[in-house]
Amino acid sequence: MGEKFVFMKHRAVCYNCGQDVDQVIKAVSPKAEVVCSNCSATRIFIPKYEEVAEPGQFEPPISCYEIWQLETGATCKNCKVTGPHEIIIGCNNFSTRCNNCGYTHFYKFDMEYVGQCPIEE
C-alpha cells in the first residue's frame, strides 16, 4: 500500500486469538485491512462506493463482531483537507467519511487471512 490514507491502531479483543491487543487499521483507495498485531489475523475489504454521503448512510447493520466507531486524521481525496475522518468497521463493512465534505469510502468484506509460519520450531 504506497498511498497513505488511513493508518491507525485500535485496541480490541482479536476475533482469532482472543487477546486484547492493537488492531492495525489501514485504508487506501483499492482496499482496507484490519490486522491483529499479535496473531496477524487479517480481514480485507474491497471498495464498493466513493461518494459524498450523509453521516450514517453506510453504517453497518448489527453483525458478528462489535462495531467500531472511530475517528482519525487523514487527508481527504475529494476536498484535500487534512482533518478528522469517521471510521466505522463491522464484520462485513468498513467505511471512512471526511468530516469536512462528507466524502465517503465504503468497502465490503472480501476475505480473511490468518498467517501461519510454515516452519516448525
Side-chain angles (χ1 to χ4, degrees):
M1 286 189 202
E3 169 193 12
K4 264 210 163 179
F5 174 51
V6 170
F7 185 89
M8 64 184 291
K9 294 179 181 179
H10 174 65
R11 194 157 188 95
V13 174
C14 174
Y15 69 93
N16 182 60
C17 68
Q19 299 299 308
D20 185 17
V21 294
D22 285 338
Q23 302 297 310
V24 180
I25 299 166
K26 302 174 191 177
V28 292
S29 293
K31 73 175 179 176
E33 300 177 344
V34 177
V35 182
C36 175
S37 64
N38 184 55
C39 72
S40 298
T42 303
R43 289 185 289 151
I44 298 173
F45 301 81
I46 57 172
K48 289 297 181 185
Y49 306 101
E50 288 187 27
E51 61 189 57
V52 175
E54 293 298 317
Q57 185 171 339
F58 292 114
E59 282 188 21
I62 301 298
S63 64
C64 53
Y65 305 131
E66 171 189 0
I67 294 173
W68 300 342
Q69 295 186 319
L70 312 170
E71 187 173 279
T72 192
T75 301
C76 179
K77 182 178 174 180
N78 185 53
C79 70
K80 311 295 186 228
V81 170
T82 300
H85 280 64
E86 296 173 349
I87 311 295
I88 300 175
I89 304 171
C91 180
N92 297 310
N93 304 325
F94 183 124
S95 67
T96 66
R97 182 180 179 280
C98 174
N99 287 2
N100 184 58
C101 72
Y103 194 69
T104 301
H105 294 254
F106 179 75
Y107 306 85
K108 291 288 285 177
F109 176 77
D110 183 51
M111 69 180 234
E112 183 174 19
Y113 173 77
V114 179
Q116 299 291 325
C117 180
I119 302 170
E120 295 292 324
E121 289 190 33

